[in-house]
Amino acid sequence: MLALDPILEGPLLWTPLFIIIGKVLFIFVVGLVATMFMVWYERKVVSGMQNRIGPNKAGPFGMLQTLADGIKSFFKEDLLPTRADRIVFRLAPFLAFVPAFLLWAVIPLGGDFSNGNDGTVTWFGHVTRVQLADPPVGILWVLAMSSIGVYGIMLAGWSSGSKYPLLGSVRASAQMISYEAALGLSLAAVLLSSGTLSTAGIVAGQNSLVDWNVISTGIVPFVIFLIAVTAELNRPPFDLVEAEQELVGGFNTEYSGIRFALFFLSEFMNVVTMSAIMVTLFLGGPQPLFDIPVIPGALEGTIWFLVKLFAFLYLFVWLRATLPRLRYDQLMDLGWKVLIPISLGWFLLLAALREFSPDGDAAESLRVVVISFVVAVIATGLFAAALKVSARNRAAANQPADNTGVTV
Amino acid sequence: MSVYLREYLTVVWFGVAALAIGGLLLGLAALVRPSKPSYDKGIAYESGVDPVGIGWSQSQIRYYVFALLFVIFDVEAVFLFPWAANVERYGTFGLVVMLVFIVLLLDGLVYAWKRGLLRWV
């Protein structure tokens, strides 16, 4: 199944072009509004959890507080540290901001997926999807964009020519790449059950509640993905990047005014987009949990999508209000010694189950088991040999040091 | 132009629009914000005291080790994706081949673990 947006087929006419432009604008508005909402929502929910009132002056329930803060940042002086690398310092906010936006391009925001429909809607006589683009490798796009986001943070810290930002950015990149590996590996489990890399295809495959990937892959990849995403977003309890007590503000210490606002915006936008990606991958995106009467199918998809999205946003805020920050070695241990082995092992288990489950013949299963056993034995042998060689090398390296009496 | 390329062209336009929005925000801010540079504003922030030395310093070699390990596992993930999406087509043979591949890489991880490379001091 080659999942592509049907609107792009055939000769390019004016109506499809306007529909595409409309979608671009719509997604921009959705992205910005959702981000501003998230900032307000986080402040309000956290204050509720801490027995405070939170923003309540600007607009109803203080909802315009974010807007006020944003406007304020326009009027703030833009400081450029004398030691900074000028070009990279100015480029870095874009590198953080643009990928955060581009992630929205492949997320199905709505459409009628219920009862096995393929999620297309008809606008002005043209069949299309409620998503900007549906490339056949949408998931790779998601991973690529979240990786490019690391560059923004890394370069921002490095180019500041200051110590705290540098430390913050090096920490951030190490943390993000560590969890990116776990993220990718747990994502492979989803692909195993859905059989396509297109986001619309993945949503279409999660037809009923039991088909939702959170259940059909077992809960483990979802939990690993959630943890990895939290770390990837530098959200508490993984916010070592901007640990205020140690690093002042982290990578964006030297940024001020609107450039800082761009970082802030992209950070919160990433929270929203990553939640949307989790909804798409594991919770069926716009798939309805039950049918809401009266409301037409396409709109219903959007409503369900938003409901699931808010659940994740709340979860992120909740985590922030509840959990204390991890230590750096704990963070690395969790990433490399727990999440990556578990996600790899679970992936292998799922693949094997898939191979056996339906009407697999016994001889085939036996063969796989035997071969797996042989592989395990050989791997253990290789591992033992490697340890032996390295022990011998270390002994050899220490030998001359002992003779001359110099300690190395 | 194929549909496939058009799909990406849409995304490219979206990216251009994102760049434009960012540029617009920065440009707008450049018009309205004050600019009174001074020596004190230009020095690096170090909790209020004068900065010591230069801002760029060497960082731990551990970061490099983790970066190397990351490359390995990320490339592994990229190899896994196309296989995972078509697991039925490759059948048992594919499963065994992938098993060998993953186990070898896990071997490397366990080796790094055993040698203490994953321990953060």
Side-chain angles (χ1 to χ4, degrees):
Chain A
M1 181 186 73
L2 200 63
L4 289 165
D5 197 341
I7 201 169
L8 297 166
E9 281 160 19
L12 210 49
L13 303 170
W14 281 111
T15 328
L17 193 65
F18 281 125
I19 289 178
I20 289 171
I21 292 173
K23 276 204 253 182
V24 169
L25 288 177
F26 174 71
I27 292 174
F28 254 103
V29 172
V30 167
L32 282 173
V33 169
T35 310
M36 282 174 29
F37 172 80
M38 176 58 193
V39 177
W40 168 81
Y41 186 65
E42 167 144 29
R43 293 176 69 173
K44 205 72 182 167
V45 172
V46 162
S47 64
M49 287 176 177
Q50 295 171 343
N51 270 332
R52 296 186 283 118
I53 296 169
N56 66 345
K57 291 283 186 256
F61 307 107
M63 284 185 97
L64 298 179
Q65 187 64 49
T66 324
L67 198 64
D69 289 345
I71 292 171
K72 181 187 74 178
S73 72
F74 276 101
F75 296 96
K76 293 292 172 190
E77 189 176 355
D78 182 44
L79 300 177
L80 195 74
T82 25
R83 287 253 181 76
D85 185 314
R86 292 170 161 270
I87 298 170
V88 181
F89 190 83
R90 290 197 170 115
L91 185 73
F94 281 103
L95 272 176
F97 179 72
V98 174
F101 250 118
L102 285 182
L103 272 176
W104 281 102
V106 294
I107 297 169
L109 296 172
D112 187 9
F113 283 96
S114 56
N115 310 321
N117 290 337
D118 61 351
T120 50
V121 291
T122 309
W123 286 341
F124 306 108
H126 290 271
V127 180
T128 184
R129 292 185 184 284
V130 194
Q131 116 187 50
L132 184 69
D134 184 25
V137 291
I139 291 305
L140 290 184
W141 175 261
V142 168
L143 280 180
M145 283 307 123
S146 70
S147 299
I148 289 178
V150 184
Y151 276 105
I153 289 175
M154 180 73 215
L155 291 178
W158 175 82
S159 67
S160 295
S162 178
K163 282 170 197 138
Y164 290 126
L166 184 71
L167 280 174
S169 74
V170 172
R171 269 193 189 185
S173 353
Q175 171 182 339
M176 285 167 100
I177 60 176
S178 293
Y179 282 82
E180 181 112 0
L183 188 104
L185 293 174
S186 60
L187 225 161
V190 173
L191 301 180
L192 205 60
S193 89
S194 63
T196 173
L197 286 160
S198 128
T199 42
I202 288 174
V203 170
Q206 308 178 55
N207 241 323
S208 57
L209 186 60
V210 284
D211 285 335
W212 284 12
N213 282 331
V214 60
I215 292 166
S216 69
T217 61
I219 200 97
V220 176
F222 171 69
V223 173
I224 292 176
F225 197 87
L226 183 66
I227 297 173
V229 157
T230 317
E232 186 85 1
L233 294 170
N234 304 321
R235 298 271 311 169
F238 302 105
D239 61 337
L240 291 105
V241 175
E242 39 204 277
E244 295 89 347
Q245 295 84 351
E246 307 159 28
L247 289 176
V248 191
F251 67 92
N252 54 23
T253 303
E254 296 291 345
Y255 280 86
S256 62
I258 193 73
R259 282 182 221 281
F260 171 78
L262 278 188
F263 274 117
F264 190 77
L265 196 66
S266 61
E267 211 172 295
F268 275 86
M269 188 170 286
N270 270 326
V271 176
V272 183
T273 40
M274 278 300 177
S275 304
I277 285 162
M278 270 194 287
V279 169
T280 307
L281 289 177
F282 289 99
L283 294 188
Q287 293 272 16
L289 196 58
F290 54 84
D291 206 35
I292 312 173
V294 188
I295 300 170
L299 192 62
E300 196 187 322
T302 310
I303 291 172
W304 278 111
F305 177 79
L306 288 178
V307 166
K308 294 170 189 173
L309 188 70
F310 286 143
F312 272 109
L313 295 185
Y314 184 79
L315 182 70
F316 278 126
V317 181
W318 194 6
L319 285 178
R320 172 181 161 177
T322 310
L323 296 175
R325 189 181 296 135
L326 268 75
R327 224 166 50 211
Y328 205 81
D329 58 328
Q330 292 170 332
L331 174 91
M332 283 303 187
D333 278 1
L334 179 65
W336 288 98
K337 296 180 183 172
V338 179
L339 295 186
I340 289 180
I342 289 183
S343 55
L344 267 180
W346 195 262
F347 174 74
L348 275 179
L349 191 71
L350 277 181
L353 280 179
R354 212 178 157 79
E355 208 65 48
F356 294 145
S357 62
D359 31 67
D361 64 290
E364 192 86 337
S365 311
L366 190 67
R367 215 178 301 154
V368 174
V369 170
V370 169
I371 292 174
S372 310
F373 185 71
V374 171
V375 168
V377 168
I378 293 175
T380 321
L382 274 175
F383 180 61
L387 274 186
K388 205 179 285 175
V389 169
S390 69
R392 201 190 302 146
N393 284 350
R394 249 177 305 169
N398 285 336
Q399 208 58 51
D402 291 343
N403 290 341
T404 51
V406 180
T407 47
V408 179
Chain B
M1 209 193 305
S2 65
V3 185
Y4 185 78
L5 277 180
R6 277 185 193 169
E7 202 78 50
Y8 282 102
L9 193 67
T10 322
V11 178
V12 168
W13 284 119
F14 192 56
V16 171
L19 274 175
I21 284 278
L24 196 74
L25 289 177
L26 284 178
L28 200 64
L31 288 179
V32 296
R33 71 179 168 224
S35 177
K36 298 192 191 75
S38 73
Y39 171 77
D40 288 336
K41 285 177 184 169
I43 56 177
Y45 179 76
E46 269 178 32
S47 308
V49 293
D50 285 345
V52 181
I54 57 164
W56 286 291
S57 58
Q58 292 179 335
S59 40
Q60 284 191 47
I61 187 74
R62 303 208 169 271
Y63 289 111
Y64 179 70
V65 173
F66 278 102
L68 274 184
L69 280 172
F70 160 70
V71 170
I72 294 166
F73 279 92
D74 216 36
V75 169
E76 178 184 13
V78 170
F79 276 125
L80 282 182
F81 287 164
W83 179 79
N86 292 301
V87 66
E88 249 121 53
R89 199 182 301 167
Y90 299 123
T92 314
F93 175 73
L95 181 68
V96 170
V97 170
M98 207 29 103
L99 181 78
V100 172
F101 178 60
I102 291 178
V103 166
L104 273 180
L105 280 172
L106 267 181
D107 236 14
L109 183 68
V110 174
Y111 180 70
W113 189 343
K114 195 84 184 166
R115 289 294 309 273
L117 283 174
L118 298 185
R119 202 180 62 233
W120 194 277
V121 221

